[in-house]
Structure formats: structure tokens, C-alpha cells
Amino acid sequence: MVKKLTVSALVLLLVLVMAVPSVFAASALTAPTEVKQIDASKTSFEVKWTNPLGASVYSKVQYSNDGSNWVDAMTYTTTSDSATIYNGVSSGKEYFVRVGSTDSYNGKNFKYSEPIKVCTVPEKVTNLKEYACSANSLNLSWTKSSGATKYKILKYVNNKEVSLGTTTSNKFVLKNLKNTKKIDYDIYVRAMKQVPGYTAQSTYRYDSTYLYSSNLVLVPKKMSAPKITHNWTYLNEANVTCNTVPFAKGYNFEVYNSKNKRIQGVKNTSSSFYAKNIKRTEFYKVRVRAYTEINGKTKFGPWSAYTFFANGTKTQGRSGKHNIKATWNKVNGATNYSVFISKNSETGFKKVTTTKGTSVNITKFGKKALTANTKYYFYVQANKKVGKKTFKSGGIDVMYVYTLK
């Protein structure tokens, strides 16, 4: 037998039945998930999220400076799963962001996600310069960009950006650079700001500070020894030249006499100079180094090896019937002297001998004895041996004499 329900029991049952759908509906709506930043500029940021399952979900974004006091970043709700926020956003800043969802078009009963940090792109760095260098590295510095947490150093090659490294400082050293040619690419620095899961940086290449290749220098490399291209015996001068090297603003020459005393120092932008006060009775030595200028300071490369040189020697000749007596002045620093003879003033010279003395009796031209009543030309060359290398005097004076009848 079915018992009849009392009126109060029926009322209670009706309340429970009516309440169930609303409980289910409320519990069906959850907060957005997978909220993340996907883009940024200096005055905006974009976030993306996954909406809760179910139809007619409306979302809005809020941001905060401290994670506690929230401001609506948009004055409307959206059915999208992403939004770009401009309102109240400035460069190089970070914010807390949360996304709320509701099934009500008028924006009530929002359920909010857990907050995440987002950030905007910092302003470009300023005052990028090279403040120091070595033979294979250069040191960069710049003024920090407000809010930047990291900097990327780049070059642009073959229409592509190439990263040279990153730093959290406002200084960076480019290492392992080749000193064999000028640097043929520009360097630029980009400010970045990082939050967990995202790095904000400009994607526009010229929104960075540039240092152009023409302004990049390294300390010049060690040079080869200079050369003596002309000897002006009667002017007591010699012309010294050197090969040019990359990064050189100029060249520094030094000349020493046979007593190792510096007699001349020259620093100029030319790769040649005139060595002065060069006596005919002495061997000299000259060396060179290249220099560059950076940040108002002069940086010198290493010295080259020495080139030894002399302006020849004064020579006299006294003739006999089948011989010539050649004499000459001593050249300080010379190891020995070589004597040459010919029947022509410009060609055909054959070495007679090499001696440590300052005179020699010439009796043969080649393998043949000197001919009487014949004009012969001769000269003396001073030699200086340094290690395995022999340096020879220039400024040769060719003398001539007739043998006697």
C-alpha cells in the first residue's frame, strides 16, 4: 500500500528537484586554462587561453601591477580565446594577468584563472660603442634600457640575423675575431624583457642600436719587417716602407744605430718615411708597428722584426798592370764585405771575394786574369749577418779604374 506524501514533504521534494539543475550548471563552468603570453610590443601584450568546455562562454582579461589590485584590461567580454591589450600599457614593464570566464553575456559570476606574468618590449638601447679591443676581440658597451632583463648581440649576414650572444649586463666581449681583414658586418644590440614562458623583444631589425662595420677596430697584428726602397748616400737618408695591415690608422717607425741607440722615431698615417742622419760608415736597424685609435686612445700592435741596413761605404781604387787595389772605409756593425767587378758599369758584375778586412787586391775577373790597359768597374757591399739572415748595404757606389799598360 503506497503511503501518501504530506504537503510539507512534497514541498521539500520540489525544492530539491528545482535546485539540482542550478547546482549542475554552476559546477559545469570552470576558469580558463593554459593562459600564456604570445606577443608583445612596446605598448601592448597579447595573451591566449583555453576556454572551459561548454557553449556560450564569455571571457575578459584583467591585469594588475602587484597581483592583488585588478583592473579590467578590456571594457567588453569576448567569445574568443585570445586578446591584445593596449589600455594603460607602457614599454619595458611587467604585469600580472588573469582571464575570467562566464556563461552570462552581461559579465556576471566570472571564474578567473591563476595569474601569470606578462611583459612588454623595452625601449631600444642607446650609446652603443666599442670602448676597448685586443688583436682578436672587441669590447662593447651601451646605456641600459629601462626594464630590460637581457640583451641580444646580433649581426646581419646574407639577409639573416645571426646571434653573437646574449648578456644580462650592458657590456659584451666579441671574441675569436680574425685580424686578417676588416670586419665586414654591422653589429647591433636588442633589449629584451623576460617573464616565465615568454621573452618580449622587437622583431623589427632597425629597432635596435647599430655599430657600423667601418667603426669597428681591432689592435693591428704584428707586421712583417720594413723594407729599404731607396738609399740616398750623399743626403744621408734612406726611404723605409712597410706593408699595410687591417685596422691600422697609422704606423710607428723606430731607427737605431749600431750602438743600439734610437736616433729617430716617426708616428704618422703613411706607410713610409725618410730615415735621416744615415752615415755611410754604419749599419742601422729599423722596425715598425701599426696603431689604431679607439675611444680617444691610441692602441699599438706588436713591433715587427728589425731590418738592418747601411748606405754603403766610401771606396777607392789604385791600379796596377794586372791588378786593382780596392780599399774602403769600415762600416760599424758589418760582419764582412763582398767585392764585385765588371767591365760594364751596370751589368755583368762578378763577386771577387768576401772578406772581413777593408781592402783587397783584385787580380781576376771571373776565372781570367785582369787585362792590362782595360777599364774595370767595381763596388764594395757591406754585409751584416743576423741569425740565419744576411742584410746587405744599399747605396752602392760603382767605381772604375784602368789597369796599367
Side-chain angles (χ1 to χ4, degrees):
M1 180 176 180
V2 178
K3 295 182 179 180
K4 294 183 179 181
L5 296 174
T6 64
V7 174
S8 59
L10 286 171
V11 171
L12 179 59
L13 180 61
L14 180 61
V15 170
L16 290 172
V17 170
M18 292 176 66
V20 168
S22 63
V23 172
F24 289 160
S27 63
L29 182 65
T30 59
T33 58
E34 299 178 325
V35 181
K36 60 183 178 181
Q37 183 173 3
I38 60 172
D39 201 4
S41 72
K42 293 179 181 178
T43 56
S44 70
F45 60 82
E46 184 178 359
V47 291
K48 185 177 178 62
W49 60 87
T50 299
N51 282 315
L53 296 175
S56 302
V57 175
Y58 301 93
S59 303
K60 73 174 179 179
V61 179
Q62 290 187 328
Y63 73 94
S64 169
N65 290 316
D66 57 11
S68 299
N69 300 299
W70 295 96
V71 177
D72 287 345
M74 44 202 289
T75 58
Y76 57 90
T77 58
T78 178
T79 57
S80 177
D81 61 354
S82 65
T84 301
I85 307 303
Y86 298 92
N87 184 36
V89 176
S90 57
S91 63
K93 302 291 185 181
E94 62 180 49
Y95 305 92
F96 293 90
V97 167
R98 66 181 185 178
V99 182
S101 292
T102 182
D103 57 1
S104 173
Y105 176 76
N106 60 8
K108 295 180 179 180
N109 301 321
F110 281 99
K111 286 189 176 293
Y112 285 97
S113 66
E114 289 294 320
I116 66 165
K117 278 187 177 182
V118 298
C119 60
T120 53
V121 175
E123 295 291 335
K124 66 190 295 185
V125 301
T126 56
N127 299 322
L128 174 63
K129 64 180 180 180
E130 179 186 359
Y131 69 91
C133 63
S134 70
N136 300 104
S137 66
L138 57 86
N139 300 60
L140 304 173
S141 68
W142 56 88
T143 300
K144 287 186 175 182
S145 173
S146 178
T149 56
K150 201 172 185 180
Y151 301 92
K152 183 183 288 186
I153 296 84
L154 302 122
K155 65 178 180 178
Y156 196 72
V157 177
N158 297 327
N159 297 318
K160 292 175 59 177
E161 282 191 348
V162 178
S163 175
L164 298 173
T166 59
T167 180
T168 57
S169 169
N170 65 327
K171 293 184 177 181
F172 189 80
V173 181
L174 284 178
K175 301 178 180 179
N176 301 319
L177 300 174
K178 293 183 178 180
N179 206 311
T180 55
K181 63 178 182 178
K182 284 281 192 178
I183 297 173
D184 57 2
Y185 52 82
D186 303 330
I187 293 174
Y188 51 108
V189 174
R190 180 173 297 155
M192 302 184 292
K193 188 170 184 64
Q194 293 177 299
V195 292
Y198 188 76
T199 299
Q201 61 179 309
S202 176
T203 57
Y204 180 50
R205 179 161 59 95
Y206 291 101
D207 195 17
S208 304
T209 301
Y210 270 70
L211 193 57
Y212 294 99
S213 59
S214 58
N215 295 323
L216 298 173
V217 298
L218 299 175
V219 173
K221 65 180 181 179
K222 184 175 181 178
M223 303 180 63
S224 56
K227 297 178 180 179
I228 309 301
T229 55
H230 292 89
N231 297 83
W232 286 282
T233 302
Y234 296 100
L235 295 176
N236 293 330
E237 292 182 358
N239 189 42
V240 184
T241 64
C242 65
N243 295 327
T244 59
V245 293
F247 306 107
K249 298 288 185 182
Y251 301 91
N252 180 202
F253 297 89
E254 286 187 339
V255 183
Y256 292 79
N257 63 17
S258 60
K259 295 181 180 179
N260 205 35
K261 180 181 178 181
R262 195 180 84 152
I263 63 168
Q264 190 175 0
V266 174
K267 177 175 173 286
N268 59 28
T269 57
S270 174
S271 59
S272 66
F273 84 106
Y274 293 108
K276 298 181 180 298
N277 301 317
I278 305 303
K279 302 175 182 178
R280 298 180 68 184
T281 56
E282 192 160 1
F283 255 102
Y284 297 84
K285 62 182 180 181
V286 60
R287 64 179 181 174
V288 65
R289 61 180 176 177
Y291 68 87
T292 191
E293 293 175 351
I294 181 170
N295 222 17
K297 297 180 180 180
T298 300
K299 298 279 286 186
F300 291 96
W303 285 108
S304 71
Y306 285 103
T307 291
F308 291 80
F309 69 99
N311 265 3
T313 182
K314 293 181 179 180
T315 307
Q316 300 84 34
R318 187 173 71 248
S319 60
K321 190 172 183 180
H322 294 288
N323 72 296
I324 297 171
K325 180 66 178 291
T327 60
W328 56 89
N329 292 344
K330 178 183 178 181
V331 177
N332 293 326
T335 305
N336 52 42
Y337 307 88
S338 296
V339 182
F340 298 84
I341 190 170
S342 176
K343 290 183 178 181
N344 188 292
S345 64
E346 295 182 0
T347 61
F349 283 93
K350 296 179 181 180
K351 186 164 72 171
V352 177
T353 187
T354 296
T355 177
K356 292 183 178 181
T358 56
S359 65
V360 68
N361 187 36
I362 305 172
T363 59
K364 290 185 178 182
F365 174 46
K367 294 182 179 181
K368 295 182 179 180
L370 298 188
T371 305
N373 196 28
T374 303
K375 187 177 184 180
Y376 289 95
Y377 297 87
F378 68 95
Y379 69 86
V380 177
Q381 179 177 272
N383 305 310
K384 183 176 182 64
K385 189 172 183 181
V386 180
K388 295 182 179 180
K389 190 170 184 178
T390 298
F391 297 90
K392 301 175 181 180
S393 64
I396 299 299
D397 284 337
V398 177
M399 310 297 293
Y400 70 90
V401 66
Y402 284 92
T403 52
L404 299 178
K405 296 181 179 179

